[in-house]
Each structure stands twice: as structure tokens, then as C-alpha cells.
Amino acid sequence: MEQSAQHSRAYTDSPGRLKVSLVQTDQQAVLTWEDSAPGVPDEALERLTERLFRLDSSRNRRRGGSGLGLSIVSALAQTHHATLTPSPSPLGGLRWTLRFPLDPQDFVRPFATTVE
């Protein structure tokens, strides 16, 4: 989450918008992170998680970044059998979708609790 927040702050035009959602569907927990413009060209989307890939070297040099952060996030997701997928955001920027598989015994069930 922190890596995504840093990217949104660094690469979203001011004033910017951010939408984060977490839902459970079928046998997955799905975290979606969307920000406003600017977006990423379609041809670059699949390369965003490659090690050392930087979309615009002059922009990244000015704002920092080594091109490792998103590759690390992707590797951590894979360690947990999750997928991390970039796509265009309806807000005009970038959408990241992180899907974690759930074991049926881990499904969230409605419950009631009493506090005394």
C-alpha cells in the first residue's frame, strides 16, 4: 500500500484523485487502487513491474525512484499466490488490481458480537 501511495503522490497531477476499494468476490480478495491523470500508455502497462523499468527516465530522476519498487511489490504478491495487474483507470490515471486467492475456510462470514 505504501508503494502505491508514493506512486500516486509522485505521478498524479494536482489536485488529483485516488480511489481504493477492497472486496471479496468468489474465492478472491480484490484490492483496487485507482488514481487520476496522467495515465500510462497502453504499450507500457505490462512492463511496469519489470525490474529497473522506468517509464520516463527524466521524470523519475527528478522525483526519485530506481525502477525496483513495483517489481518488489509484484514479487511479494506472487509469493502469496496473488496477481498484480495494471490497467487504465476510469479516473484518467492508472488502476492497479491486486487479487489474492482465498481458501474457502477463510471467507468472511457475517457474525454478531456482544461487548459487556
Side-chain angles (χ1 to χ4, degrees):
M1 290 287 287
E2 180 61 28
Q3 181 69 33
S4 297
Q6 288 176 3
H7 272 258
S8 288
R9 281 191 298 269
Y11 301 115
T12 300
D13 292 343
S14 185
R17 290 184 56 206
L18 175 64
K19 178 182 176 184
V20 179
S21 64
L22 176 63
V23 296
Q24 179 181 321
T25 61
D26 299 326
Q27 296 182 359
Q28 296 181 334
V30 181
L31 175 67
T32 305
W33 187 281
E34 302 175 73
D35 61 24
S36 53
V40 172
D42 288 344
E43 61 273 8
L45 289 172
E46 66 183 45
R47 298 197 60 207
L48 290 175
T49 58
E50 290 179 11
R51 273 184 62 202
L52 305 178
F53 177 75
R54 298 192 317 182
L55 187 59
D56 177 352
S57 61
S58 63
R59 180 178 68 182
N60 283 330
R61 189 169 38 248
R62 184 176 73 244
R63 295 188 179 168
S66 62
L68 291 173
L70 290 171
S71 66
I72 292 169
V73 171
S74 181
L76 287 170
Q78 291 173 10
T79 299
H80 294 282
H81 308 287
T83 60
L84 179 65
T85 308
S87 61
S89 167
L91 300 177
L94 186 60
R95 172 194 289 157
W96 285 101
T97 304
L98 183 58
R99 296 178 183 274
F100 289 94
L102 297 175
D103 188 308
Q105 67 185 355
D106 294 333
F107 285 174
V108 175
R109 292 175 179 77
F111 67 94
T113 185
T114 304
V115 177
E116 295 183 26

mmCIF file of all heavy atoms in Angstrom, residues 98-115:
data_model
loop_
_atom_site.group_PDB
_atom_site.id
_atom_site.type_symbol
_atom_site.label_atom_id
_atom_site.label_comp_id
_atom_site.label_asym_id
_atom_site.label_seq_id
_atom_site.Cartn_x
_atom_site.Cartn_y
_atom_site.Cartn_z
ATOM 1 N N LEU A 98 -5.011 -5.932 -7.357
ATOM 2 C CA LEU A 98 -4.283 -6.964 -6.629
ATOM 3 C C LEU A 98 -5.295 -8.014 -6.193
ATOM 4 O O LEU A 98 -6.232 -7.710 -5.457
ATOM 5 C CB LEU A 98 -3.587 -6.338 -5.418
ATOM 6 C CG LEU A 98 -2.704 -7.215 -4.547
ATOM 7 C CD1 LEU A 98 -1.582 -7.862 -5.352
ATOM 8 C CD2 LEU A 98 -2.130 -6.398 -3.398
ATOM 9 N N ARG A 99 -5.141 -9.237 -6.701
ATOM 10 C CA ARG A 99 -6.085 -10.330 -6.411
ATOM 11 C C ARG A 99 -5.396 -11.412 -5.597
ATOM 12 O O ARG A 99 -4.415 -11.997 -6.057
ATOM 13 C CB ARG A 99 -6.610 -10.937 -7.704
ATOM 14 C CG ARG A 99 -7.408 -9.982 -8.534
ATOM 15 C CD ARG A 99 -7.874 -10.649 -9.843
ATOM 16 N NE ARG A 99 -8.571 -9.706 -10.671
ATOM 17 C CZ ARG A 99 -9.864 -9.424 -10.575
ATOM 18 N NH1 ARG A 99 -10.598 -10.060 -9.682
ATOM 19 N NH2 ARG A 99 -10.413 -8.532 -11.362
ATOM 20 N N PHE A 100 -5.934 -11.637 -4.403
ATOM 21 C CA PHE A 100 -5.433 -12.692 -3.527
ATOM 22 C C PHE A 100 -6.406 -13.859 -3.540
ATOM 23 O O PHE A 100 -7.600 -13.663 -3.305
ATOM 24 C CB PHE A 100 -5.328 -12.201 -2.071
ATOM 25 C CG PHE A 100 -4.239 -11.222 -1.827
ATOM 26 C CD1 PHE A 100 -4.492 -9.858 -1.873
ATOM 27 C CD2 PHE A 100 -2.958 -11.654 -1.533
ATOM 28 C CE1 PHE A 100 -3.481 -8.946 -1.626
ATOM 29 C CE2 PHE A 100 -1.942 -10.738 -1.287
ATOM 30 C CZ PHE A 100 -2.210 -9.399 -1.332
ATOM 31 N N PRO A 101 -5.917 -15.077 -3.790
ATOM 32 C CA PRO A 101 -6.812 -16.230 -3.682
ATOM 33 C C PRO A 101 -7.144 -16.478 -2.211
ATOM 34 O O PRO A 101 -6.315 -16.251 -1.332
ATOM 35 C CB PRO A 101 -5.988 -17.376 -4.261
ATOM 36 C CG PRO A 101 -4.572 -16.967 -4.069
ATOM 37 C CD PRO A 101 -4.551 -15.462 -4.136
ATOM 38 N N LEU A 102 -8.368 -16.891 -1.976
ATOM 39 C CA LEU A 102 -8.811 -17.190 -0.618
ATOM 40 C C LEU A 102 -9.149 -18.661 -0.503
ATOM 41 O O LEU A 102 -9.731 -19.242 -1.416
ATOM 42 C CB LEU A 102 -10.052 -16.376 -0.251
ATOM 43 C CG LEU A 102 -9.890 -14.872 -0.209
ATOM 44 C CD1 LEU A 102 -11.243 -14.215 0.058
ATOM 45 C CD2 LEU A 102 -8.895 -14.469 0.855
ATOM 46 N N ASP A 103 -8.812 -19.220 0.603
ATOM 47 C CA ASP A 103 -9.231 -20.573 0.930
ATOM 48 C C ASP A 103 -10.672 -20.467 1.412
ATOM 49 O O ASP A 103 -10.996 -19.568 2.184
ATOM 50 C CB ASP A 103 -8.331 -21.123 2.048
ATOM 51 C CG ASP A 103 -8.575 -22.581 2.321
ATOM 52 O OD1 ASP A 103 -9.748 -22.955 2.538
ATOM 53 O OD2 ASP A 103 -7.595 -23.338 2.335
ATOM 54 N N PRO A 104 -11.565 -21.369 0.979
ATOM 55 C CA PRO A 104 -12.967 -21.272 1.407
ATOM 56 C C PRO A 104 -13.134 -21.150 2.922
ATOM 57 O O PRO A 104 -14.051 -20.489 3.391
ATOM 58 C CB PRO A 104 -13.591 -22.559 0.880
ATOM 59 C CG PRO A 104 -12.766 -22.904 -0.317
ATOM 60 C CD PRO A 104 -11.361 -22.467 0.041
ATOM 61 N N GLN A 105 -12.248 -21.734 3.704
ATOM 62 C CA GLN A 105 -12.379 -21.621 5.157
ATOM 63 C C GLN A 105 -12.036 -20.221 5.661
ATOM 64 O O GLN A 105 -12.345 -19.871 6.800
ATOM 65 C CB GLN A 105 -11.523 -22.656 5.869
ATOM 66 C CG GLN A 105 -10.030 -22.451 5.702
ATOM 67 C CD GLN A 105 -9.232 -23.583 6.320
ATOM 68 O OE1 GLN A 105 -9.783 -24.471 6.955
ATOM 69 N NE2 GLN A 105 -7.936 -23.540 6.122
ATOM 70 N N ASP A 106 -11.406 -19.392 4.801
ATOM 71 C CA ASP A 106 -11.062 -18.035 5.187
ATOM 72 C C ASP A 106 -12.127 -17.012 4.814
ATOM 73 O O ASP A 106 -11.965 -15.829 5.083
ATOM 74 C CB ASP A 106 -9.748 -17.604 4.519
ATOM 75 C CG ASP A 106 -8.562 -18.403 5.013
ATOM 76 O OD1 ASP A 106 -8.620 -18.885 6.162
ATOM 77 O OD2 ASP A 106 -7.593 -18.546 4.248
ATOM 78 N N PHE A 107 -13.195 -17.437 4.133
ATOM 79 C CA PHE A 107 -14.217 -16.490 3.696
ATOM 80 C C PHE A 107 -14.790 -15.737 4.875
ATOM 81 O O PHE A 107 -14.979 -16.279 5.963
ATOM 82 C CB PHE A 107 -15.357 -17.203 2.969
ATOM 83 C CG PHE A 107 -15.000 -17.635 1.565
ATOM 84 C CD1 PHE A 107 -15.880 -18.386 0.833
ATOM 85 C CD2 PHE A 107 -13.795 -17.301 0.988
ATOM 86 C CE1 PHE A 107 -15.569 -18.785 -0.447
ATOM 87 C CE2 PHE A 107 -13.470 -17.694 -0.290
ATOM 88 C CZ PHE A 107 -14.370 -18.433 -1.011
ATOM 89 N N VAL A 108 -15.078 -14.483 4.643
ATOM 90 C CA VAL A 108 -15.675 -13.647 5.680
ATOM 91 C C VAL A 108 -17.138 -14.057 5.825
ATOM 92 O O VAL A 108 -17.875 -14.132 4.854
ATOM 93 C CB VAL A 108 -15.569 -12.157 5.302
ATOM 94 C CG1 VAL A 108 -16.286 -11.301 6.309
ATOM 95 C CG2 VAL A 108 -14.117 -11.755 5.144
ATOM 96 N N ARG A 109 -17.526 -14.343 7.044
ATOM 97 C CA ARG A 109 -18.911 -14.703 7.317
ATOM 98 C C ARG A 109 -19.516 -13.646 8.238
ATOM 99 O O ARG A 109 -18.825 -13.116 9.108
ATOM 100 C CB ARG A 109 -18.955 -16.080 7.999
ATOM 101 C CG ARG A 109 -18.529 -17.185 7.074
ATOM 102 C CD ARG A 109 -18.488 -18.506 7.850
ATOM 103 N NE ARG A 109 -18.101 -19.624 7.017
ATOM 104 C CZ ARG A 109 -16.879 -19.892 6.625
ATOM 105 N NH1 ARG A 109 -15.873 -19.141 6.982
ATOM 106 N NH2 ARG A 109 -16.621 -20.941 5.879
ATOM 107 N N PRO A 110 -20.799 -13.381 8.045
ATOM 108 C CA PRO A 110 -21.442 -12.435 8.960
ATOM 109 C C PRO A 110 -21.361 -12.978 10.391
ATOM 110 O O PRO A 110 -21.418 -14.180 10.611
ATOM 111 C CB PRO A 110 -22.904 -12.400 8.483
ATOM 112 C CG PRO A 110 -22.856 -12.956 7.098
ATOM 113 C CD PRO A 110 -21.694 -13.884 7.023
ATOM 114 N N PHE A 111 -21.196 -12.081 11.320
ATOM 115 C CA PHE A 111 -21.132 -12.519 12.714
ATOM 116 C C PHE A 111 -21.709 -11.419 13.599
ATOM 117 O O PHE A 111 -21.861 -10.283 13.179
ATOM 118 C CB PHE A 111 -19.699 -12.845 13.132
ATOM 119 C CG PHE A 111 -18.793 -11.645 13.175
ATOM 120 C CD1 PHE A 111 -18.586 -10.954 14.350
ATOM 121 C CD2 PHE A 111 -18.169 -11.199 12.021
ATOM 122 C CE1 PHE A 111 -17.775 -9.832 14.394
ATOM 123 C CE2 PHE A 111 -17.352 -10.073 12.051
ATOM 124 C CZ PHE A 111 -17.143 -9.400 13.241
ATOM 125 N N ALA A 112 -22.031 -11.801 14.774
ATOM 126 C CA ALA A 112 -22.517 -10.833 15.767
ATOM 127 C C ALA A 112 -21.613 -10.936 16.984
ATOM 128 O O ALA A 112 -21.090 -11.995 17.295
ATOM 129 C CB ALA A 112 -23.962 -11.141 16.148
ATOM 130 N N THR A 113 -21.436 -9.836 17.644
ATOM 131 C CA THR A 113 -20.616 -9.842 18.839
ATOM 132 C C THR A 113 -21.296 -9.009 19.910
ATOM 133 O O THR A 113 -22.039 -8.082 19.613
ATOM 134 C CB THR A 113 -19.197 -9.305 18.556
ATOM 135 O OG1 THR A 113 -18.413 -9.450 19.720
ATOM 136 C CG2 THR A 113 -19.216 -7.871 18.118
ATOM 137 N N THR A 114 -21.051 -9.363 21.125
ATOM 138 C CA THR A 114 -21.600 -8.623 22.253
ATOM 139 C C THR A 114 -20.458 -8.131 23.120
ATOM 140 O O THR A 114 -19.557 -8.897 23.430
ATOM 141 C CB THR A 114 -22.516 -9.531 23.104
ATOM 142 O OG1 THR A 114 -23.532 -10.073 22.263
ATOM 143 C CG2 THR A 114 -23.135 -8.762 24.253
ATOM 144 N N VAL A 115 -20.511 -6.866 23.442
ATOM 145 C CA VAL A 115 -19.494 -6.283 24.311
ATOM 146 C C VAL A 115 -20.186 -5.894 25.611
ATOM 147 O O VAL A 115 -21.207 -5.201 25.601
ATOM 148 C CB VAL A 115 -18.834 -5.063 23.668
ATOM 149 C CG1 VAL A 115 -17.835 -4.437 24.615
ATOM 150 C CG2 VAL A 115 -18.198 -5.437 22.346
#
